[in-house]
């Protein structure tokens, strides 16, 4: 596979710290996908031998993903990414549910969830937003208070893409189950570093995006617990048990399975240690820098700050000039002049929210890379 270069090696001259937007593609993932992008290219629904070979590869990938999630192969639906998976979960479960028309989502949800819930609102559903505390966590008691007999769905992100806070999904899902309502979690950011055993979590639906794990962009997963009422959004040839029609991306499915398996071998403890050292370095070298999100219950490769008195966008430009690439928050909101709704929900004033800078990284990023980023941030956002 000499024609496939290791993408992480290409980043050695620069420091890429925007994995929450899209992680570097793993060489082993590309190598696993390559046969299904070249010689084994048949449609997996075709009944000739090449088609059946593709079909077997697809179903094997489905089994591997199910094993990584602690579910059954028949519960795994491959999608075009996290956005489609979230749309399918929110709309598909709500439209099929006989309970009522009350939808609860957290204030930190990705637009793929919040906009899907808003779309349901235009159909007559009532969307209610669960508040979060200053660390970005949902209070289980607050969820219990807001659940109703007509609650048709609860959706809480497993981990925030903007501030890195990790939710107690097991506790929240248990409370929702007591009320008899289905629970969905967007686990796009949590996958790879947080345990995602769907049986232990107690959720009815969970969504993933491959490009946060090291696959090329364009593949995702909706895990849907067996017997959960669901209305498909994409109709056609009846693939994937009729829940998501369309010819499946066999290479993408194989890449997703490979990426999930590789992530199980990552040294997450070492990644957390590098994250904590980076946070300490920034707090010591940048006066006034304030860490966003929960200090301990946070993603292993996530550190976001607000920098009082500085422009977040100006700091990003300074860092880019030094070869350090990060972001001001969600890539899906890039270009917006409005302060982040997630930060506002955490009680951060509008002016301060616009100073936010986010650093996200995987195990390919070294301690030296992070030290370089902290030093660059100190030069940009430190004393003038």
């Amino acid at each position: 596979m000499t024609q496939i270069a290791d993408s992480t090696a290409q980043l050695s001259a620069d420091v890429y710290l925007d994995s929450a937007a899209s992680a570097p593609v793993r060489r082993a993932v590309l190598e696993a996908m390559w046969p299904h992008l070249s010689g084994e290219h048949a449609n997996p629904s075709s009944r000739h031998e090449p088609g059946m070979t593709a079909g077997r590869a697809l179903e094997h990938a489905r089994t591997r993903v199910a094993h990584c999630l602690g579910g059954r192969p028949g519960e795994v639906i491959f999608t075009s990414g996290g956005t489609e998976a979230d749309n399918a979960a929110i709309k598909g479960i709500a439209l099929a549910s006989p309970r009522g028309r009350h939808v609860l989502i957290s204030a930190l949800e990705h637009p793929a969830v919040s906009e899907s819930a808003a779309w349901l609102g235009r159909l007559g559903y009532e969307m209610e937003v669960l508040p979060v505390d200053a660390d970005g966590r949902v209070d289980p008691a607050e969820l219990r208070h807001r659940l109703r007999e007509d609650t048709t769905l609860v959706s809480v992100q497993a981990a925030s893409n903007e501030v890195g806070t990790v939710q107690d999904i097991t506790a929240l899902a248990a409370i929702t189950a007591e009320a008899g309502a289905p629970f969905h979690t967007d686990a796009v950011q949590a996958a790879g570093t947080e345990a995602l055993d769907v049986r232990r979590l107690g959720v009815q639906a969970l969504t993933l995006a491959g490009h946060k794990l090291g696959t090329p962009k364009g593949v995702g997963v909706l895990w849907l617990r067996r017997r959960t009422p669901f209305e498909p959004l994409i109709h056609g040839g009846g693939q994937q048990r009729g829940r998501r029609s369309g010819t499946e991306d066999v290479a993408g499915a194989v890449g997703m399975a490979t990426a999930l398996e590789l992530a199980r071998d990552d040294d997450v403890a070492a990644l957390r240690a590098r994250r904590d050292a980076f946070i300490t370095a920034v707090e010591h070298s940048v006066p006034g820098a304030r860490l966003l999100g929960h200090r301990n219950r946070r993603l292993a490769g996530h550190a976001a700050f607000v920098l009082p008195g500085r422009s977040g966008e100006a700091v990003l430009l300074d860092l880019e000039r030094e070869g350090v690439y990060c972001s001001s928050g969600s890539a899906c909101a890039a270009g917006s002049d409005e302060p982040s709704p997630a930060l506002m929900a955490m009680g951060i004033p509008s002016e301060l929210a616009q100073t936010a800078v986010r650093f996200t990284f995987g195990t390919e990023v070294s301690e030296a890379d992070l030290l370089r980023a902290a030093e660059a941030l100190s030069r940009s956002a430190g004393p003038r």
Side-chain angles (χ1 to χ4, degrees):
M1 299 293 295
T2 56
Q3 67 269 47
I4 298 179
D6 189 341
S7 60
T8 58
Q10 300 172 9
L11 302 175
S12 58
D14 299 318
V15 181
Y16 179 78
L17 302 177
D18 199 19
S19 287
S22 197
V25 178
R26 292 187 181 227
R27 177 172 181 155
V29 169
L30 289 178
E31 291 178 342
M33 294 173 66
W34 182 247
H36 309 285
L37 294 168
S38 52
E40 300 175 10
H41 52 71
N43 189 315
S45 295
S46 295
R47 292 296 86 199
H48 47 59
E49 183 55 35
M52 289 189 284
T53 296
R56 286 191 291 271
L58 175 67
E59 294 313 310
H60 182 50
R62 199 186 309 276
T63 298
R64 293 162 62 196
V65 170
H67 180 71
C68 289
L69 297 177
R72 299 181 177 90
E75 297 170 326
V76 173
I77 304 168
F78 290 110
T79 70
S80 64
T83 291
E84 184 197 332
D86 281 338
N87 271 259
I90 300 302
K91 298 172 183 176
I93 294 174
L95 291 173
S97 175
R99 282 180 56 89
R101 293 195 161 204
H102 177 236
V103 177
L104 276 169
I105 68 171
S106 87
L108 298 193
E109 295 306 305
H110 187 277
V113 169
S114 60
E115 290 299 318
S116 292
W119 180 84
L120 288 171
R122 295 194 288 275
L123 299 184
Y125 286 74
E126 179 186 352
M127 182 186 78
E128 186 174 358
V129 177
L130 284 163
V132 294
D133 63 19
D135 290 327
R137 302 198 84 191
V138 173
D139 182 354
E142 184 67 25
L143 170 61
R144 189 185 300 277
H145 173 70
R146 290 175 182 253
L147 281 165
R148 305 185 334 206
E149 289 186 359
D150 64 338
T151 300
T152 192
L153 177 66
V154 175
S155 181
V156 178
Q157 196 175 41
S160 168
N161 56 312
E162 291 197 51
V163 300
T165 294
V166 175
Q167 304 286 348
D168 187 349
I169 295 300
T170 301
L172 298 174
I175 291 168
T176 304
E178 291 174 7
F183 188 100
H184 161 257
T185 187
D186 174 344
V188 164
Q189 296 296 332
T193 58
E194 298 296 317
L196 294 179
D197 184 318
V198 291
R199 304 299 167 183
R200 183 187 64 79
L201 292 175
V203 301
Q204 278 66 52
L206 177 146
T207 45
L208 304 174
H211 71 108
K212 315 294 186 177
L213 289 162
T215 78
K217 301 164 191 67
V219 62
V221 163
L222 164 59
W223 175 84
L224 186 69
R225 185 183 291 272
R226 188 173 58 170
R227 298 192 182 93
T228 300
F230 180 75
E231 178 63 37
L233 302 188
I234 299 178
H235 303 91
Q239 290 89 345
Q240 304 199 76
R241 303 188 178 190
R243 297 168 303 183
R244 198 274 190 182
S245 291
T247 301
E248 301 94 338
D249 176 5
V250 178
V254 170
M256 172 65 84
T258 304
L260 282 169
E261 289 170 349
L262 289 171
R264 294 185 301 187
D265 295 328
D266 285 342
D267 191 342
V268 177
L271 181 61
R272 289 194 182 99
R274 292 199 293 276
R275 174 206 65 193
D276 291 344
F278 173 66
I279 291 171
T280 299
V282 170
E283 291 177 331
H284 285 176
S285 62
V286 182
R290 171 182 163 191
L291 181 68
L292 294 171
H294 198 282
R295 183 163 292 273
N296 301 313
R297 288 292 296 157
R298 64 184 306 107
L299 290 170
H302 196 300
F305 305 88
V306 285
L307 308 167
R310 299 286 185 260
S311 162
E313 291 300 324
V315 169
L316 293 181
L317 290 173
D318 287 344
L319 294 176
E320 185 167 348
R321 291 188 192 100
E322 297 203 38
V324 177
Y325 301 98
C326 54
S327 70
S328 57
S330 173
C332 296
S336 173
D337 292 329
E338 297 299 317
S340 161
L343 300 188
M344 300 283 285
M346 292 167 58
I348 297 171
S350 171
E351 183 175 339
L352 185 59
Q354 291 179 313
T355 74
V357 178
R358 181 187 73 175
F359 302 88
T360 53
F361 41 90
T363 54
E364 77 284 351
V365 175
S366 69
E367 185 176 352
D369 290 332
L370 292 171
L371 178 59
R372 174 180 163 186
E375 291 172 346
L377 181 63
S378 177
R379 286 189 288 273
S380 174
R384 299 284 178 163

